Amino acid sequence: MTSGFTGHVAPSEWRWVIVVSALLLIIAFAPFLWAVVGIADTPWRFMGVLHDYQDGAVYISEAFQGAEGQLLTRFLHTAEPHRGTFFNAIYALIGQASRLTALPPVLMFHIARAAASIFMYMALYQLAAAIWMRLRTRRIFFIIAALGSGFGWLLGVVSGNLRFLDLSMPEAFPFYSSLVNVHYPLGIACLALASSVVINAFKPGMHEMPTTQNGGGMLFLLSVTLAFVYPLALLMFAVAFLVYLIFYSAQQKHFGEREWRWLLWFVVPALPLVVYYLALLYYNPLISALMRQENFSAAANPLVFVLSFGLPLLIALPGILRGVRRFEPYGDQFMLVWLGMALLLIYLPTGLQQRFVVGLMIPIAYFATRAIEDFWFSRLSRRWRYRVLVALVPVMAATHLFVLALPVQSFAAFDSRSTSSLLLERDYVGVFDWLKDRVEPEDVVLAAPSTSLWVPSRTGAHVVYGHPTLTLNAAEKRREVEAWYRMQETETCDALLNGSGARYGSYRVSYVIVGPRENRLGKTECTDLLDLVDTFGSVALYRYTPTTSVRP
């Protein structure tokens, strides 16, 4: 590792970043490719998402709608009808790209995920270059930020508690975020680039007003992008930026036009979209209820929080203490404020707490890098510095390797495959293909929960129950669906089919799927109320109309 100094990023550095990023991407996609190839000649069909598959199915359903020409997407995993929104608009754009390229939405989703991950890694290195001139220091920061995780790999297994953040909150950890979706790595990239702009704009000796040439234009674009891909990250960064400017101005004994302008260049561009979100949440009770379910997350126990950031946080402690004591204007101030405001938002009782962990590995990696250069290396001989550092990298990344391998067990044995929601029996694909060309926008499909998860992303139809947080009254709906497939009295079958218990809008089931997944729930007599459309191997598709009478 070179120890040279430079004030810019040389082409050789970018080559190093791209090579390392590509290797990380290959590692991230290796289980996914293995899953695709491993079941090619089996009666199973991989549904296309390996990590965080439930949310992944939602994102692909939004890409599916984009591929159908829609810019405003609906939440198809709940049956109640509603208008499309700009929530998760990035996936509608991915769907539009799918339509233009004729590539399947699921494939375009993964192409976008790969591109967003590479962009995130490059943004992390750009932040390192904005802070440090020493190449060694830049690379140390990059490696810790990209690969750092906590002790979840050990404590999660020992305790059986998988709620450690490094096992459950990918938006906090860059590598983990690259496994699950597009908007997490994009959000982290935007936070890294915005941090580099702020640190450069307010480093000692800088007194420029924001313009399109000196980072102001970049802040403008990053503000709009964050408003689309991760609005809560926008809020968290805006609060941190404001508090940082207050500290900065107190030291300068002046809060003038320059400070306000930099803040406004970040805040104002996102305001129209923020106002749209707030109006939607206020005036649309269905969307408001879904967002409350989706985003509710209580703060982690402080000890769990500390253990979730593990070795990087322990390494960072001397750097954090040094930053508090000296509160230096170049880097330390902003990163301390970011870390402090994130912790404040995480532990305020808003119901959104853990959503504010997005990108939190960045300030932790910053102080870990400071501590390594200024504290830990001074206590190690030159001979042992790099050896110890190299030995610590696998320990810091251990949880990511654990998470990477977790879904593999679903492909290992027949029993696992038959119960895994990552896979469906191949005959279901025929049903999906038939429905895809025939369903109307408000059609609702009834199927087992593990089937319903994938119906929206393959057909564009709504489902009665499909997701634990994006189905209204999810727990109740799931119980009703599972009970329906066990019903023996046809007099009670119509209630669920006609949307009993629906809130914020009525619905009626149009199609019912009965296959191996549904038969595991029970043998229902309710199919006597239905018209058989067709059979696809072991899977039958029925149509429901209220006028259909019970057959003898």
Side-chain angles (χ1 to χ4, degrees):
M1 186 181 292
T2 182
S3 58
F5 294 81
T6 179
H8 64 284
V9 183
S12 60
E13 286 185 83
W14 284 126
R15 285 195 294 271
W16 180 87
V17 173
I18 292 171
V19 168
V20 174
S21 301
L23 288 174
L24 295 177
L25 198 62
I26 290 170
I27 294 171
F29 271 87
F32 176 84
L33 297 175
W34 178 84
V36 173
V37 175
I39 62 164
D41 298 322
T42 71
W44 308 95
R45 182 70 176 266
F46 176 45
M47 290 290 99
V49 182
L50 201 58
H51 296 90
D52 194 19
Y53 65 91
Q54 290 180 320
D55 287 344
V58 174
Y59 305 140
I60 296 175
S61 75
E62 292 164 340
F64 182 96
Q65 295 174 71
E68 295 293 306
Q70 302 173 44
L71 286 174
L72 301 177
T73 59
R74 292 165 290 126
F75 295 98
L76 300 180
H77 286 79
T78 196
E80 289 80 358
H82 55 278
R83 296 177 182 272
T85 73
F86 269 120
F87 283 115
N88 289 335
I90 183 67
Y91 295 104
L93 295 178
I94 290 171
Q96 295 288 336
S98 171
R99 183 165 65 98
L100 293 174
T101 59
L103 294 174
V106 63
L107 178 58
M108 187 57 68
F109 169 82
H110 290 296
I111 291 173
R113 180 163 69 90
S117 300
I118 293 291
F119 178 56
M120 173 186 66
Y121 291 132
M122 297 181 72
L124 289 173
Y125 196 84
Q126 177 60 45
L127 172 59
I131 300 172
W132 291 288
M133 297 181 65
R134 194 172 196 173
L135 303 187
R136 180 184 75 184
T137 311
R138 293 176 180 180
R139 292 180 179 181
I140 290 172
F141 169 82
F142 176 85
I143 291 170
I144 297 174
L147 294 177
S149 65
F151 296 129
W153 65 276
L154 175 61
L155 299 174
V157 173
V158 172
S159 67
N161 177 15
L162 299 183
R163 300 307 300 169
F164 289 93
L165 272 61
D166 53 335
L167 295 173
S168 61
M169 300 298 292
E171 57 263 54
F173 306 92
F175 181 81
Y176 190 3
S177 76
S178 74
L179 302 179
V180 297
N181 59 39
V182 178
H183 67 283
Y184 285 172
L186 270 183
I188 292 173
C190 290
L191 291 174
L193 291 175
S195 300
S196 69
V197 171
V198 171
I199 289 171
N200 268 330
F202 291 92
K203 65 184 180 182
M206 294 294 292
H207 304 287
E208 295 181 359
M209 293 286 188
T211 69
T212 56
Q213 305 299 318
N214 65 359
M218 178 66 74
L219 273 187
F220 186 106
L221 292 175
L222 294 172
S223 170
V224 175
T225 304
L226 276 175
F228 273 106
V229 302
Y230 205 127
L232 290 178
L234 173 76
L235 172 62
M236 181 270 296
F237 194 88
V239 170
F241 194 7
L242 173 61
V243 174
Y244 165 71
L245 288 178
I246 292 173
F247 278 112
Y248 175 85
S249 300
Q251 285 187 331
Q252 302 295 317
K253 299 181 180 179
H254 176 71
F255 196 109
E257 182 181 3
R258 174 174 175 264
E259 288 75 21
W260 276 116
R261 283 197 178 187
W262 277 102
L263 181 63
L264 293 176
W265 273 64
F266 180 75
V267 172
V268 171
L271 284 180
L273 203 54
V274 171
V275 170
Y276 165 77
Y277 290 147
L278 293 175
L280 200 58
L281 294 174
Y282 184 79
Y283 291 108
N284 191 319
L286 185 147
I287 299 298
S288 179
L290 283 176
M291 290 299 100
R292 283 198 302 272
Q293 289 185 178
E294 170 68 6
N295 289 309
F296 178 81
S297 59
N301 177 285
L303 178 60
V304 170
F305 182 91
V306 169
L307 294 174
S308 296
F309 288 94
L311 194 56
L313 184 56
L314 292 177
I315 294 172
L317 286 179
I320 294 173
L321 294 175
R322 175 186 180 276
V324 171
R325 287 198 310 269
R326 300 189 182 184
F327 205 53
E328 295 174 337
Y330 189 46
D332 281 10
Q333 283 183 359
F334 180 76
M335 290 297 178
L336 272 175
V337 170
W338 178 353
L339 186 59
M341 290 302 101
L343 290 173
L344 177 64
L345 291 171
I346 288 168
Y347 285 98
L348 280 177
T350 61
L352 302 170
Q353 288 99 308
Q354 289 195 182
R355 296 298 179 185
F356 292 110
V357 302
V358 56
L360 198 55
M361 184 51 72
I362 293 175
I364 290 174
Y366 168 85
F367 287 110
T369 305
R370 283 283 196 205
I372 287 171
E373 290 285 10
D374 301 333
F375 182 83
W376 297 112
F377 272 2
S378 65
R379 285 157 175 77
L380 292 172
S381 67
R382 290 182 178 273
R383 178 183 177 185
W384 284 98
R385 287 177 182 175
Y386 295 137
R387 295 179 183 181
V388 171
L389 190 61
V390 170
L392 290 178
V393 170
V395 180
M396 287 192 292
T399 296
H400 295 324
L401 297 176
F402 177 75
V403 169
L404 193 65
L406 267 181
V408 172
Q409 62 183 336
S410 297
F411 297 84
F414 181 89
D415 290 342
S416 297
R417 293 176 179 180
S418 62
T419 57
S420 170
S421 295
L422 300 175
L423 306 165
L424 288 179
E425 289 78 357
R426 189 176 292 273
D427 293 337
Y428 282 101
V429 177
V431 179
F432 295 163
D433 290 342
W434 190 95
L435 286 171
K436 179 176 66 175
D437 298 325
R438 292 169 176 84
V439 295
E440 299 296 328
E442 301 302 334
D443 278 347
V444 178
V445 175
L446 175 63
S450 59
T451 307
S452 295
L453 177 65
W454 303 106
V455 168
S457 64
R458 297 304 179 104
T459 70
H462 291 263
V463 291
V464 178
Y465 170 86
H467 194 275
T469 58
L470 286 175
T471 298
L472 280 175
N473 308 312
E476 178 184 346
K477 290 270 187 65
R478 179 171 186 135
R479 287 192 298 269
E480 291 177 349
V481 167
E482 292 175 345
W484 190 92
Y485 280 98
R486 292 190 294 267
M487 283 183 183
Q488 299 300 310
E489 300 295 332
T490 56
E491 291 80 6
T492 57
C493 295
D494 275 312
L496 181 64
L497 299 175
N498 286 314
S500 72
R503 299 182 185 179
Y504 314 121
S506 62
Y507 68 87
R508 181 171 57 80
V509 170
S510 300
Y511 296 97
V512 177
I513 296 174
V514 179
R517 301 289 170 131
E518 291 70 30
N519 289 330
R520 290 190 192 98
L521 298 176
K523 297 291 186 180
T524 181
E525 296 295 327
C526 291
T527 52
D528 287 342
L529 298 177
L530 311 173
D531 294 314
L532 179 65
V533 174
D534 205 346
T535 56
F536 304 82
S538 61
V539 183
L541 178 66
Y542 295 89
R543 186 172 183 90
Y544 171 70
T545 55
T547 57
T548 302
S549 59
V550 178
R551 295 175 182 78

